Structures are given as structure tokens and as C-alpha cells.
């Protein structure tokens, strides 16, 4: 089978996603297909890496819109090189570092509180005396400090 002649079913099987997921990704502008003479969708082989990146990025909490913008930096007219992929991942580096820092802070905050429930005025890092945090906004103010947008 040619490099640029992957059927939607083959891509779906190889990537472990549903055909409907591929259609969704395509509708969102994350991947692109071309049509053969029989008007059937075909994909170039680099779609496999794009889908892997999409899945990994989603697991890291990166929005589909951010993923779309990142993938849009890859060249359309040729298969992306290792350098193209490296540039894409470098752009996510700061964002990932911020997410990791937030999750570490959240882990540290919650480690003592999961299963505790004491809300000790002296010791609990999430204690909110007289709901004074309501002035800062709705939701879990302490836990969302430093959360990625
Ligand atoms: S709930 Fe007990 S330390 Fe936070």
C-alpha cells in the first residue's frame, strides 16, 4: 500500500480510534485527508503521528484548539521532518512545565487532605475560615491557583 493511500479503517485500527473520531478530528481541522478517484477518503502516512500527538496532548489536558494551532505549524506540502516535530513539541514545553508545576502543587496540597476531612484551622492547607475566599471568586479558589488556562 502506498504511503499516501491509507484508508480510514486502516488508520482507525492502527491508531486505536474509532472511524467517527477520525471524522471528528478532520472536521476540527486536526488532520486532513484527500479523495481518490472513487471519492473515498485517503490519508498520508504522517497522519499516524499526528493522531498519536493529538491523543498524547489530550491526555496532558491540552485543548483541541491548542492542538489544532500547533499542528497547523506543520508543513502541508510535505511529510513533517523530525525538526518540524521537535519545533512543535518545543512550543508546548513551557505549557507542559506549568501544568506539571500545578499538578505537583495540587498533589502536595491534597496529599494530607485526601481521606482526612479535618479542615483543621491550624494545619489544613485548604481550610477557608469564614469563606473569606469567596471574595476571590467562585469555585475551589485554593486548588485552582496556578491552574493552566
Ligand atoms: S482536611 Fe485535614 S489537613 Fe486538610
Amino acid at each position: 500500500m502506498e504511503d499516501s493511500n491509507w484508508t480510514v479503517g486502516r488508520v482507525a485500527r492502527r491508531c486505536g480510534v474509532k472511524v467517527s473520531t477520525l471524522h471528528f478530528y478532520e472536521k476540527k481541522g486536526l488532520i486532513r485527508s484527500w479523495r481518490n478517484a472513487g471519492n473515498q477518503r485517503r490519508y498520508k502516512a504522517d497522519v499516524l503521528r499526528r493522531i498519536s500527538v493529538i491523543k498524547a496532548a489530550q491526555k496532558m489536558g491540552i485543548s483541541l484548539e491548542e492542538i489544532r494551532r500547533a499542528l497547523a505549524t506543520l508543513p502541508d506540502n510535505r511529510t513533517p521532518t523530525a525538526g518540524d516535530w521537535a519545533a512543535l513539541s518545543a512550543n508546548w514545553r513551557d505549557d507542559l512545565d506549568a501544568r506539571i508545576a500545578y499538578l505537583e502543587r495540587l498533589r502536595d496540597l491534597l496529599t494530607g487532605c485526601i481521606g482526612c476531612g479535618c479542615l483543621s484551622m491550624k494545619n489544613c492547607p485548604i481550610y477557608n475560615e469564614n469563606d473569606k475566599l469567596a471574595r476571590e471568586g467562585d469555585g475551589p479558589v485554593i486548588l485552582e491557583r496556578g491552574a493552566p488556562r
Side-chain angles (χ1 to χ4, degrees):
M1 182 172 285
E2 279 185 45
D3 220 24
S4 61
N5 207 22
W6 285 66
T7 64
V8 68
R10 186 177 178 213
V11 172
R13 273 192 307 280
R14 182 64 188 82
C15 294
V17 298
K18 294 178 181 172
V19 167
S20 60
T21 301
L22 295 180
H23 292 166
F24 175 75
Y25 287 166
E26 197 164 339
K27 193 174 164 191
K28 292 288 183 184
L30 298 166
I31 61 173
R32 214 173 273 161
S33 64
W34 59 279
R35 298 281 177 161
N36 68 7
N39 199 32
Q40 295 168 318
R41 275 191 173 89
R42 292 293 185 264
Y43 296 89
K44 293 194 295 183
D46 67 272
V47 78
L48 304 178
R49 181 171 289 196
R50 287 179 190 252
I51 293 167
S52 298
V53 168
I54 293 166
K55 290 176 70 178
Q58 284 186 293
K59 284 183 180 163
M60 292 185 288
I62 297 173
S63 73
L64 284 180
E65 178 53 27
E66 288 175 90
I67 297 168
R68 188 198 62 73
R69 280 200 301 267
L71 290 174
T73 65
L74 296 173
D76 278 338
N77 55 349
R78 61 172 170 77
T79 300
T81 63
D84 294 325
W85 289 111
L88 182 149
S89 66
N91 287 337
W92 275 337
R93 175 86 195 197
D94 289 346
D95 186 45
L96 290 177
D97 286 346
R99 286 171 196 274
I100 290 167
Y102 168 69
L103 289 173
E104 285 178 345
R105 180 180 163 276
L106 201 54
R107 177 203 59 203
D108 294 345
L109 263 178
L110 290 176
T111 296
C113 292
I114 292 174
C116 175
C118 72
L119 293 176
S120 157
M121 290 173 62
K122 286 185 183 166
N123 304 319
C124 182
I126 62 171
Y127 178 67
N128 176 22
E129 186 176 11
N130 298 323
D131 197 22
K132 63 185 175 199
L133 292 171
R135 290 190 292 270
E136 294 185 35
D138 295 331
V141 172
I142 295 173
L143 300 182
E144 289 184 349
R145 283 181 185 147
R149 299 280 163 202

